[in-house]
Each structure stands twice: as C-alpha cells, then as structure tokens.
Amino acid sequence: PRLGHQSRNGAAVNLPASAVLALVAAAAFAASAVLQQRAARAEPSSTSLQFRLLIDLFHRPIWLAGVVCMIAAYVVQAIALYLGNVAFVEPLIAMELVFALPFAVESEHRQPEWSEWAAAAAVVAGVTLFLATARPTGGTPNPGNGTWVLLGVPCAGVIVASLVAAAGPFARYRASLLAVAAAICFALLALLTKTFTYLVS
C-alpha cells in the first residue's frame, strides 16, 4: 500500500511510522523479557507452573520493572498495528530477540558467544528476507466470528497440549513447550489488538 493513507477497508496505513514504532516496541519487549527472566531465574524451577510463582515474582522490584516495560511495549505495538498491517509489524516485533542479546549479556556481565551473534544475524536476515519477498499487504481488520473460531480452536488446542506436556511426560523440554504456548498467545493477542484498534478508531 501507499505510505500514509486510508486503505480500502478504512484502516489507517503508515508503514514508516509503524516500522519505527514496531522496533521501539521490540526493544521494550526485549528489556521486559530480560528483567523478568532475571527475576524468574531466582525462583525454584519446581514452581514454574504454579500460581504461587506469580505471587512471589510480584514482590520483586525487577519483575515489576519488567511488567512496566511490557505494558509500554504493548501500547506502542498497538499503535504500530493500527498504522500498519499485522504481517508487516509482527516480523519487526520478532527483532526483540536481537535487542535482547545485548541487554542479556550486559545484565549477566559477560561477553556474547559467537553462536548468539549468529542467531541474532539469522533473525535479522530472516525478517529482512520475509519483508522483502513476501510484501504483505491488505488483510481484514475486523474478521467475522467464524474466522475467530476457526483460528482460536486449533490454537487453543496446541496451547493446552503444550502446557500439559510441559507439566508431564516432556518436562525436560518445559522451557521450549512453554515458549510455544506463549508465542501462540502473543500472536493471537496481536490479531485481537489489530481488530480492537480498528474498532476503536
């Protein structure tokens, strides 16, 4: 779409602004993740799937700082989603992984490993390649209820299956399984946020 105009479905489109805001949100999400990870790492792993963990973490200032960063990032992301397409904004949000690397190594007072730099470079290359070749445009800012059901039911199934597996037979892969569940939740939240900003506008 052209820069800075109303699309045919009435949604605002301003790709340069949405790109800048998405990267700002990604940096804030990265800071939030590092702060929350530092606080969570001090808790025993046995509490990872217990409600008590959240209660304990909310007594830690560093966790609360991470929550503040996360809320700020979400607000900025919502504005970016209002101004751009989900398929354009969300790959840029994935740059959070790149921003998290310097935050994490600084927090842990260590030098990054070559494999970490390679992983960060792979994320940048992947996002760049996707945006350069896919050129995502259009979309429906307010899909019908049927679409939400078709999307939500299988996603909910994968989320529940991941949580059950993390608490049961595949506990050794707990971090990865919880990451899968969290990623799907964040993806659904992005879609709901896009629809919400459209309806509010």
Side-chain angles (χ1 to χ4, degrees), residues 47-197:
T47 64
S48 64
L49 291 176
Q50 298 179 15
F51 187 73
R52 191 187 77 188
L53 174 62
L54 288 178
I55 298 177
D56 293 341
L57 288 173
F58 269 102
H59 288 87
R60 293 181 176 273
I62 191 171
W63 172 270
L64 294 177
V67 171
V68 171
C69 286
M70 182 174 62
I71 293 173
Y74 177 73
V75 171
V76 176
Q77 179 192 27
I79 300 172
L81 286 169
Y82 171 70
L83 295 175
N85 300 314
V86 173
F88 175 77
V89 171
E90 290 310 303
L92 293 174
I93 296 293
M95 294 290 288
E96 167 191 351
L97 299 172
V98 178
F99 291 123
L101 177 57
F103 293 161
V105 296
E106 176 63 25
S107 173
E108 298 168 3
H109 305 291
R110 65 177 179 84
Q111 293 294 323
E113 299 178 4
W114 71 267
S115 58
E116 293 174 318
W117 284 121
V123 171
V124 174
V127 170
T128 302
L129 182 62
F130 174 80
L131 293 178
T133 57
R135 300 186 181 279
T137 59
T140 303
N142 187 23
N145 293 333
T147 300
W148 287 117
V149 171
L150 290 174
L151 180 66
V153 170
C155 286
V158 176
I159 291 170
V160 171
S162 298
L163 294 177
V164 171
F170 298 97
R172 61 177 177 168
Y173 303 111
R174 178 174 292 177
S176 298
L177 291 167
L178 293 178
V180 168
I184 295 174
C185 288
F186 278 121
L188 290 174
L189 180 60
L191 296 175
L192 290 168
T193 300
K194 175 64 177 181
T195 298
F196 175 77
T197 59

Side-chain angles (χ1 to χ4, degrees), residues 1-29:
R2 297 188 308 277
L3 306 184
H5 76 290
Q6 294 290 114
S7 64
R8 286 181 298 178
N9 55 28
V13 175
N14 189 327
L15 295 187
S18 67
V20 172
L21 290 170
L23 292 175
V24 170
F29 275 128

